[in-house]
């Protein structure tokens, strides 16, 4: 297909409009509508893998659009009444099919590539960790749009009815939703067996910055999509019922091959990117490689916090600061390690703090580690935050609310100030006893740390 034929096809097809929709709709969503893609370490412009996964997640809506617009393009010959005329020409049917299929596939691929390019420009300015592990995620996404459009064209030509495009679009939407993959827990779950769920071109919303897709998923999905594209093209070129029946062979073969490659265990659908999770350290302060740009701002406040904690707690104080790299189920208790102060950059009390405010937040986390992951999307319990602010005040000498905890300063002070005044008036030995009771409550996550500071048992 030369450039003249391509230009002609673009002028007389819906391909340019399809490309505009595929590019404009996700950009409008990502830029104008607040959502999880705006916040935390997994925002769509923060890291390469997150950007690739967020743009792939939008295929749950974009892929049905591609299939429907492809079917509309497949009706062109029937609507113009020249199907019999074209069939009587000596030019092979596959040559005639290649021009519209190629133009449509190229346009949708280019539109998706532009979407990824917009995200890439943001990521380049926002991360210090560059890698190519994200590229297969985006390449499979582009292939899925091209395959969906070609399949829609083939089905539209096979069933030339005005109802075909909307029915195919709705069917594709149902397909992507039924096969939706979820990573809302540490073990992804879907409504259907895992291998079948992975036939969906869309991926789950991004909840863990270190999660990525393994090679087996990329290979299996590529085989499936190539089968779809081959069947769509064969249907577009078919002129007899026998040829249309034979055209189903590629998608059947692609399905069998894909199911033999795709992982059956949900735990192997999303895996931790070991390279991104590797620790990068400056003295006793370590972060994941994917966040190494944060290390310079974290190191000095963290070292100061470790010194303050050692003065307050002695040998029971943490001696190193490490970023948490263990993915957790929603609401699960964060891990605990003796001598380690774990930080989470999705916790805005830490991620959003600088200098002395960051030191205070680290002291609070070292004194009273949270029992529920506190992300930028949802704050932890108010009593837990109040207990942290009191514990930090016991070390630093003054009570200040923690910014970014999901609770207003007035709400935190209303809970913390009476307990802090009572604690400060006690003898030092009694203060230490209550601090120890609070640390016991948070270490087991079975008690009320604020109640322990107030002199209660701290029991749930």
């Amino acid at each position: 297909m030369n450039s003249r034929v391509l230009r002609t096809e673009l002028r007389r097809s819906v391909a340019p409009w399809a490309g505009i929709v595929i590019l404009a709709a996700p950009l409008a969503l990502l830029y104008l509508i607040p959502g999880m893609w705006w916040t935390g370490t997994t925002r769509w412009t923060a890291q390469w893998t997150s950007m690739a996964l967020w743009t792939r997640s939008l295929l749950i809506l974009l892929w049905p659009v591609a299939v429907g617009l492809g079917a509309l393009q497949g009706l062109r010959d029937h609507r113009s009444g020249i199907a019999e005329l074209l069939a009587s020409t000596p030019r092979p049917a596959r040559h005639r099919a290649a021009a519209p299929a190629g133009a449509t596939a190229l346009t949708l691929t280019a539109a998706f590539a532009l979407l990824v390019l917009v995200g890439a420009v943001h990521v380049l300015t926002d991360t210090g960790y560059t890698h190519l592990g994200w590229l297969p995620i985006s390449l499979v996404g582009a292939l899925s749009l091209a395959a969906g459009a070609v399949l829609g064209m083939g089905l539209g030509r096979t069933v030339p009815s005005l109802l075909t495009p909307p029915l195919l679009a709705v069917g594709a939407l149902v397909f992507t939703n039924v096969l939706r993959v979820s990573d809302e827990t540490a073990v992804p779950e879907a409504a259907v067996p895992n291998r079948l769920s992975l036939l969906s071109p869309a991926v789950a919303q991004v909840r863990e910055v270190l999660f990525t897709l393994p090679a087996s998923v990329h290979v299996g999905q590529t085989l499936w999509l190539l089968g779809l594209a081959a069947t769509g093209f064969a249907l577009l070129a078919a002129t007899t019922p026998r040829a249309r029946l034979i055209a189903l062979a590629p998608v059947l073969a692609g399905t069998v091959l894909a199911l033999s490659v795709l992982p059956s265990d949900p735990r192997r659908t999303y895996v931790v990117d070991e390279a991104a999770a590797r620790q990068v350290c400056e003295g006793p302060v370590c972060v994941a490689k994917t966040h190494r740009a944060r290390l310079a701002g974290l190191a000095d406040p963290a070292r100061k916090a470790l010194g303050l904690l050692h003065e307050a707690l002695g040998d029971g104080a943490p001696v190193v600061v490490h970023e948490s790299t263990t993915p957790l189920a929603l609401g699960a208790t964060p891990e605990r390690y003796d001598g380690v102060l774990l930080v989470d950059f999705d916790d805005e009390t830490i991620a959003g703090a600088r200098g002395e405010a960051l030191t205070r937040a680290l002291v609070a986390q070292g004194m009273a580690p949270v029992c529920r992951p506190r992300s930028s999307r949802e704050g932890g319990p108010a009593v837990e935050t109040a207990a942290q602010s009191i514990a930090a005040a016991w070390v630093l000498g003054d009570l200040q609310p923690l910014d970014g905890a999901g609770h207003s300063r007035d709400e935190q002070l209303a809970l913390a100030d009476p307990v802090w005044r009572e604690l400060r008036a006690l003898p030092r030995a009694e203060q230490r006893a209550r601090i120890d009771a609070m640390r016991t409550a948070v270490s087991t996550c079975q008690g009320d740390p604020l109640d322990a500071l107030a002199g209660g048992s701290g029991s749930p």
Side-chain angles (χ1 to χ4, degrees), residues 233-293:
F233 184 78
L235 288 173
L236 190 61
T239 57
T240 65
R242 181 173 180 271
R244 294 188 181 98
L245 186 61
I246 294 174
L248 299 177
V251 70
L252 294 177
T255 302
V256 172
L257 291 173
L259 292 177
S260 68
V261 173
L262 292 170
S264 60
D265 186 353
R267 294 176 181 85
R268 293 169 54 203
T269 300
Y270 290 89
V271 296
V272 173
D273 186 339
E274 298 295 340
R278 190 174 299 122
Q279 295 285 315
V280 178
C281 300
E282 184 176 319
V285 185
C286 300
V287 299
K289 190 175 182 181
T290 191
H291 290 143
R292 63 184 177 189

Side-chain angles (χ1 to χ4, degrees), residues 150-228:
V150 174
L151 178 67
M153 292 174 69
L155 292 173
R157 191 177 189 280
T158 302
V159 187
S161 167
L162 291 178
L163 294 177
T164 300
L167 289 177
L168 282 179
V170 172
L173 182 63
V174 171
F175 175 83
T176 55
N177 276 275
V178 169
L179 300 188
R180 179 188 298 217
V181 180
S182 171
D183 70 340
E184 292 187 356
T185 65
V187 181
E189 295 177 353
V192 296
N194 194 64
R195 284 194 176 107
L196 288 178
S197 72
L198 290 174
L199 295 180
S200 171
V203 298
Q205 292 186 335
V206 188
R207 290 188 177 272
E208 289 283 353
V209 68
L210 297 176
F211 270 164
T212 189
L213 295 172
S216 59
V217 173
H218 300 319
V219 173
Q221 290 179 337
T222 299
L223 291 171
W224 154 250
L225 292 169
L226 288 175
L228 280 185

Side-chain angles (χ1 to χ4, degrees), residues 210-434:
L210 297 176
F211 270 164
T212 189
L213 295 172
S216 59
V217 173
H218 300 319
V219 173
Q221 290 179 337
T222 299
L223 291 171
W224 154 250
L225 292 169
L226 288 175
L228 280 185
T231 289
F233 184 78
L235 288 173
L236 190 61
T239 57
T240 65
R242 181 173 180 271
R244 294 188 181 98
L245 186 61
I246 294 174
L248 299 177
V251 70
L252 294 177
T255 302
V256 172
L257 291 173
L259 292 177
S260 68
V261 173
L262 292 170
S264 60
D265 186 353
R267 294 176 181 85
R268 293 169 54 203
T269 300
Y270 290 89
V271 296
V272 173
D273 186 339
E274 298 295 340
R278 190 174 299 122
Q279 295 285 315
V280 178
C281 300
E282 184 176 319
V285 185
C286 300
V287 299
K289 190 175 182 181
T290 191
H291 290 143
R292 63 184 177 189
R294 295 178 179 262
L295 184 58
L298 176 67
D300 288 340
R303 279 193 286 262
K304 184 176 180 181
L306 289 176
L308 291 168
L309 289 169
H310 181 73
E311 291 177 8
L313 300 176
D315 293 339
V319 294
V320 293
V321 174
H322 283 187
E323 179 184 358
S324 174
T325 57
T326 303
L328 299 173
L330 287 179
T333 302
E335 65 272 30
R336 302 274 200 269
Y337 301 108
D338 291 340
V340 180
L341 195 168
L342 289 172
V343 298
D344 181 358
F345 288 121
D346 274 321
D347 184 344
E348 279 298 306
T349 62
I350 293 173
R354 300 291 184 274
E356 293 300 320
L358 179 54
T359 299
R360 179 177 291 273
L362 291 170
V363 168
Q365 176 67 6
M367 291 291 293
V370 294
C371 286
R372 175 183 172 186
R374 182 170 55 205
S375 71
S376 56
R377 304 179 190 118
E378 52 182 83
V383 293
E384 189 174 76
T385 302
Q388 279 195 324
S389 63
I390 294 170
W394 187 75
V395 175
L396 298 171
D398 62 317
L399 179 66
Q400 293 186 23
L402 296 176
D403 292 330
H407 305 282
S408 69
R409 298 175 67 87
D410 289 342
E411 182 182 3
Q412 292 183 53
L413 288 175
L415 289 171
D417 190 58
V419 178
W420 167 241
R421 290 177 182 275
E422 180 184 347
L423 179 67
R424 187 174 54 177
L426 296 173
R428 187 68 180 179
E430 179 61 24
Q431 292 180 24
R432 180 58 190 264
R434 292 194 181 187

